[in-house]
Amino acid sequence: QKEVEQNSGPLSVPEGAIASLNCTYSDRGSQSFFWYRQYSGKSPELIMSIYSNGDKEDGRFTAQLNKASQYVSLLIRDSQPSDSATYLCAVARSGTYKYIFGTGTRLKVLA
Amino acid sequence: GAVVSQHPSRVICKSGTSVKIECRSLDFQATTMFWYRQFPKKSLMLMATSNEGSKATYEQGVEKDKFLINHASLTLSTLTVTSAHPEDSSFYICSAVAPSNEQFFGPGTRLTVL
């Protein structure tokens, strides 16, 4: 079992729809969770971090964390073609800055 | 978000030469930086953890004598690929841990070894 699992996609959604990206992790000692966006040929860009169970909203993005079920998700509302990218989930244990990255989900927003 | 720069953004070199890549945190001090490499359409692979004032910690399978890391100040880490060969051609990306404890990535360096 991989430490951090994501569906590789591609996940295709129409413009204006909600895109839902999911990530599961295996280490129950994980305390910090991050979502990054990576455009082709570019480096990852931090979208959101989440540390507590529940939802965290920032603009069109909402991160959801459920530690009991060991999953974290990212919702993108009103998806735009410019949101088309690979979304990376990253997880870290308490007391470490070292992240374990998933392999990423490729999102395509269709105009 | 915090700003991290990398230099150069792109480098082409001959086989056998050494290449130095710089990673700088521009608006914060970073005790810890990380170096990753990424092959086309593949996931990020952590190479090493760079700690200011101490030796880098390398991931399993990464040769420390080939990938030399120096973190001489709180804003600068360097990665030197020694005696580069074509199989070292890759996208090298650094990240720095900001005071928020989040990692911010540099724009990456694309290395091509002929």
Side-chain angles (χ1 to χ4, degrees):
Chain A
Q1 182 189 9
K2 290 181 184 175
E3 293 184 76
V4 179
E5 292 208 54
Q6 295 182 256
N7 188 315
S8 61
L11 171 67
S12 294
V13 300
E15 184 175 358
I18 296 175
S20 178
L21 304 160
N22 299 310
C23 171
T24 58
Y25 60 94
S26 60
D27 184 354
R28 284 198 172 275
S30 302
Q31 293 293 325
S32 307
F33 307 86
F34 308 88
W35 282 100
Y36 286 83
R37 175 174 63 196
Q38 187 175 25
Y39 292 112
S40 181
K42 303 294 184 183
S43 66
E45 172 192 6
L46 180 65
I47 299 175
M48 292 190 71
S49 55
I50 186 167
Y51 305 97
S52 305
N53 280 328
D55 294 2
K56 180 181 178 182
E57 187 175 318
D58 184 0
R60 294 187 297 114
F61 300 99
T62 298
Q64 299 174 318
L65 174 61
N66 184 322
K67 290 184 181 179
S69 301
Q70 295 176 247
Y71 83 78
V72 55
S73 61
L74 180 70
L75 301 178
I76 306 175
R77 287 182 299 282
D78 188 24
S79 295
Q80 301 297 309
S82 57
D83 294 325
S84 299
T86 296
Y87 288 80
L88 301 170
C89 170
V91 171
R93 289 181 63 90
S94 174
T96 177
Y97 302 124
K98 188 173 162 181
Y99 294 179
I100 307 298
F101 280 90
T103 53
T105 299
R106 193 154 65 95
L107 173 67
K108 285 185 172 181
V109 181
L110 307 171
Chain B
V3 182
V4 178
S5 70
Q6 258 182 266
H7 179 81
S9 58
R10 188 178 292 268
V11 58
I12 301 172
C13 69
K14 292 183 179 179
S15 189
T17 60
S18 293
V19 174
K20 182 188 278 190
I21 303 170
E22 291 186 350
C23 177
R24 292 182 187 273
S25 55
L26 297 185
D27 53 358
F28 64 97
Q29 293 183 327
T31 305
T32 303
M33 293 184 175
F34 294 94
W35 286 96
Y36 297 83
R37 68 189 295 185
Q38 188 175 36
F39 292 105
K41 299 192 187 302
K42 299 295 184 184
S43 59
L44 286 170
M45 187 193 88
L46 178 65
M47 299 175 67
T49 304
S50 174
N51 297 299
E52 189 269 337
S54 63
K55 289 184 179 180
T57 305
Y58 291 81
E59 295 300 302
Q60 193 172 13
V62 178
E63 299 175 60
K64 63 177 175 22
D65 295 329
K66 179 159 183 69
F67 298 101
L68 300 179
I69 291 171
N70 186 285
H71 194 151
S73 78
L74 287 170
T75 59
L76 173 65
S77 175
T78 60
L79 168 69
T80 301
V81 183
T82 61
S83 187
H85 288 94
E87 58 266 29
D88 298 324
S89 298
S90 189
F91 190 42
Y92 291 86
I93 316 172
C94 72
S95 72
V97 179
S100 61
N101 291 338
E102 297 161 325
Q103 281 190 39
F104 290 89
F105 284 85
T109 297
R110 195 162 301 283
L111 171 64
T112 303
V113 185
L114 303 177

